[in-house]
């Protein structure tokens, strides 16, 4: 079987799939780009069963060069695949050009099972809602939607994406499979300040964050206690986020990028909540940072709709904020959510859950 991917940012999911299929005795080939999306550089590492394909570099996420790079990569990869015969082709999307090329392959290789794995929806996730209707963006979307039905099964990383699939898709072949992590020993040594409310922002600091909401959140919370913001990550909007938080009256501690899990856990242990705050126009159901927070047993302050909102309502693992939020309760309830937060991770976001969901999908395909 063959797994096709473009972005190293999705590689954790690729590794989960690779390890699952290897455990079943399958011969697994991963074909992916040799270009690192965030760092904007070539990769030179080697991985078992991975074939890295030369990719045209691009240096701006919104650019013609990026679209050209994806189109050329897609043609190159599927020209390679055309020379082989696979029982299963698992294609991670985006880029949307993969969908069209995979559908063409499927048409001439009807015995091959084809799975599209929707990790993100572009242009829906693009934060500037007013330009999504422009012709280039409509074409970009059409590259995906017109050919999705070629798949035998469609996997999404969250339930929210089901709402945007074309109406001609048979919903019985659409499945949600959340990302997952290995369960490791978990004995957090909490160091929560009692005289202030301590928040964490984790991840890329880019244009999809709603910094205005974070500013208002700080103003509301500091009516009851002083606010500290721990920023773990980096990005083009880091300085703006720092300035806005300080202007709102919060103390800001910048750590930069932190990769070591033990170091991140120490930071999480000193925080009451993790921030999951995005612009309303962003179409995301369950963020990577949410999974990091759940794994760390850190409750969430959230404003995005979809899966995360529903999980918080159902599992009591944080607070969904809106116009009527009682911020005194947000402060008072912080510690009560920690056990439920870690329990949700252990019950729903483990490698065992992931493997079980993939197995169920294939039982239905046979």
């Amino acid at each position: 079987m063959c797994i096709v991917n473009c972005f190293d940012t999705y590689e954790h999911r690729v590794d989960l799939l690779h390890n699952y299929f290897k455990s079943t005795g399958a011969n697994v080939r991963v074909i992916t780009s040799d270009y690192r999306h965030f760092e904007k550089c070539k990769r030179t590492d080697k991985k078992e069963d991975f074939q890295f394909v030369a990719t045209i570099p691009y240096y701006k996420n919104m650019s013609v060069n990026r679209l050209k790079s994806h189109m050329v990569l897609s043609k190159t990869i599927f020209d390679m695949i055309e020379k082989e015969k696979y029982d299963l082709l698992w294609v991670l999307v985006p880029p949307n050009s993969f969908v069209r090329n995979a559908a063409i392959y499927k048409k001439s290789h009807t015995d091959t099972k084809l799975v599209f794995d929707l990790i993100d929806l572009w242009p829906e996730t693009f934060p500037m809602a007013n330009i999504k209707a422009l012709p280039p963006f409509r074409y970009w979307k059409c590259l995906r939607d017109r050919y999705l039905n070629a798949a035998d099964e469609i996997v999404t990383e969250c339930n929210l994406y089901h709402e945007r699939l074309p109406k001609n898709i048979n919903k019985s072949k659409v499945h949600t499979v959340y990302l997952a992590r290995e369960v490791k020993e978990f004995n957090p040594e909490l160091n929560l300040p009692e005289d202030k409310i301590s928040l964490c922002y984790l991840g890329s600091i880019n244009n999809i964050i709603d910094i205005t909401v974070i500013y208002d959140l700080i103003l509301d919370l500091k009516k009851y206690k002083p606010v500290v913001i721990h920023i773990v990550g980096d990005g083009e909007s880091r300085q703006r986020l720092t300035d806005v938080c300080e202007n709102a009256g919060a103390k800001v501690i910048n750590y930069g990028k932190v990769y070591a899990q033990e170091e991140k856990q120490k930071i999480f242990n000193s925080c009451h909540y993790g921030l999951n705050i995005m612009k309303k126009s962003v179409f995301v159901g369950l963020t990577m940072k949410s999974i990091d927070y759940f794994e760390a047993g850190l409750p969430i302050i959230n404003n995005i709709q979809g899966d995360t909102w529903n999980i918080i309502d159902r599992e009591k693992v944080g607070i969904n904020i809106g116009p009527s939020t009682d911020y005194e309760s947000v402060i008072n309830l912080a510690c009560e959510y920690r056990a439920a937060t870690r329990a949700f991770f252990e019950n729903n976001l483990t490698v065992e859950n992931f493997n079980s969901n993939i197995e169920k999908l294939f039982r239905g395909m046979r």
Side-chain angles (χ1 to χ4, degrees):
M1 66 87 59
C2 182
I3 302 170
V4 180
N5 181 40
C6 173
F7 299 104
D8 60 310
T9 48
Y10 302 161
E11 201 160 307
H12 176 65
R13 191 171 184 92
V14 173
D15 289 338
L16 289 168
L17 292 165
H18 170 269
N19 294 342
Y20 168 77
F21 288 115
K22 289 287 280 191
S23 73
T24 67
N27 292 319
V28 183
R29 183 186 189 192
V30 177
I31 306 179
T32 188
S33 168
D34 73 343
Y35 191 65
R36 292 197 178 277
H37 175 68
F38 281 146
E39 289 85 356
K40 301 294 187 288
C41 66
K42 294 281 186 179
R43 61 187 299 178
T44 57
D45 57 312
K46 295 181 180 180
K47 292 181 69 171
E48 180 185 4
D49 300 322
F50 278 60
Q51 181 174 356
F52 297 102
V53 177
T55 303
I56 298 171
Y58 54 89
Y59 302 101
K60 293 183 178 180
N61 287 341
M62 288 302 301
S63 66
V64 172
N65 283 341
R66 177 179 176 180
L67 293 178
K68 179 183 176 182
S69 175
H70 293 338
M71 297 289 278
V72 172
L73 175 68
S74 184
K75 184 179 186 307
T76 301
I77 288 178
F78 283 92
D79 282 349
M80 294 166 56
I81 290 172
E82 184 65 39
K83 299 173 184 177
E84 307 289 342
K85 180 171 175 56
Y86 295 103
D87 295 327
L88 171 65
L89 185 61
W90 189 292
V91 181
L92 281 78
V93 182
N96 295 351
S97 49
F98 276 9
V99 180
R100 178 180 179 275
N101 286 103
I104 293 171
Y105 176 87
K106 172 70 174 179
K107 191 171 183 179
S108 58
H109 299 79
T110 55
D111 291 339
T112 300
K113 297 293 186 183
L114 174 61
V115 177
F116 288 134
D117 194 347
L118 302 182
I119 305 301
D120 206 345
L121 293 186
W122 283 91
E124 289 89 340
T125 310
F126 192 67
M128 297 176 66
N130 58 326
I131 72 169
K132 294 179 187 178
L134 295 176
F137 291 88
R138 292 204 306 269
Y139 171 75
W140 199 1
K141 184 174 184 290
C142 185
L143 270 180
R144 181 194 68 220
D145 289 356
R146 183 177 176 184
Y147 299 99
L148 270 179
N149 222 15
D152 295 280
E153 305 290 340
I154 297 172
V155 173
T156 66
E157 74 154 11
C158 62
N159 292 324
L160 182 66
Y161 290 173
H162 296 205
E163 299 175 11
R164 293 294 177 90
L165 296 180
K167 289 183 169 55
N168 67 327
I169 299 293
N170 182 348
K171 300 301 182 184
S172 68
K173 68 177 183 181
V174 181
H175 318 269
T176 296
V177 179
Y178 290 135
L179 274 170
R181 305 277 173 81
E182 292 279 359
V183 177
K184 299 176 182 176
E185 185 177 353
F186 186 72
N187 295 298
E189 297 181 8
L190 297 183
N191 184 30
L192 298 172
E194 296 183 2
D195 59 341
K196 55 182 68 75
I197 184 76
S198 180
L199 309 175
C200 179
Y201 176 85
L202 172 72
S204 297
I205 310 169
N206 50 33
N207 63 348
I208 68 174
I209 303 165
D210 199 324
I211 293 178
T212 300
V213 170
I214 295 175
Y215 177 85
D216 291 338
L217 171 67
I218 294 169
L219 292 181
D220 286 321
L221 289 173
K222 76 172 191 174
K223 293 173 185 176
Y224 304 97
K225 283 187 177 182
V227 179
V228 180
I229 304 280
H230 300 259
I231 299 178
V232 183
D234 204 355
E236 65 267 24
S237 298
R238 181 172 67 89
Q239 190 58 53
R240 179 168 175 251
L241 175 62
T242 300
D243 292 344
V244 167
C245 290
E246 289 179 341
N247 289 340
K251 177 183 178 182
V252 177
I253 304 173
N254 270 301
Y255 299 86
K257 295 178 182 178
V258 178
Y259 296 105
Q261 186 59 37
E262 288 185 5
E263 291 304 309
K264 284 197 291 186
Q265 187 66 54
K266 286 180 182 178
I267 299 168
F268 294 149
N269 290 347
S270 66
C271 297
H272 295 94
Y273 290 100
L275 297 180
N276 195 52
I277 306 294
M278 292 186 176
K279 293 176 180 176
K280 288 183 178 180
S281 57
V282 176
F283 196 74
V284 176
L286 185 67
T287 61
M288 282 288 292
K289 71 173 92 268
S290 298
I291 299 174
D292 284 325
Y293 293 146
F294 292 145
E295 181 181 15
L298 181 62
I300 293 177
I301 292 178
N302 172 70
N303 77 328
I304 71 168
Q305 299 295 316
D307 298 56
T308 306
W309 190 280
N310 296 334
I311 288 166
I312 288 173
D313 269 354
R314 184 179 68 245
E315 305 290 340
K316 309 305 178 190
V317 294
I319 296 285
N320 291 317
I321 60 171
S324 60
T325 302
D326 177 356
Y327 287 96
E328 187 173 15
S329 294
V330 171
I331 292 172
N332 293 335
L333 293 171
C335 295
E336 295 186 20
Y337 294 131
R338 294 193 87 95
T341 302
R342 176 65 185 187
F344 175 76
F345 166 76
E346 293 183 359
N347 294 331
N348 297 277
L349 299 174
T350 66
V351 173
E352 288 75 18
N353 290 115
F354 183 91
N355 291 345
S356 175
N357 287 328
I358 300 297
E359 175 61 27
K360 289 176 185 174
L361 184 153
F362 279 96
R363 281 204 300 269
M365 288 177 64
R366 292 174 188 143

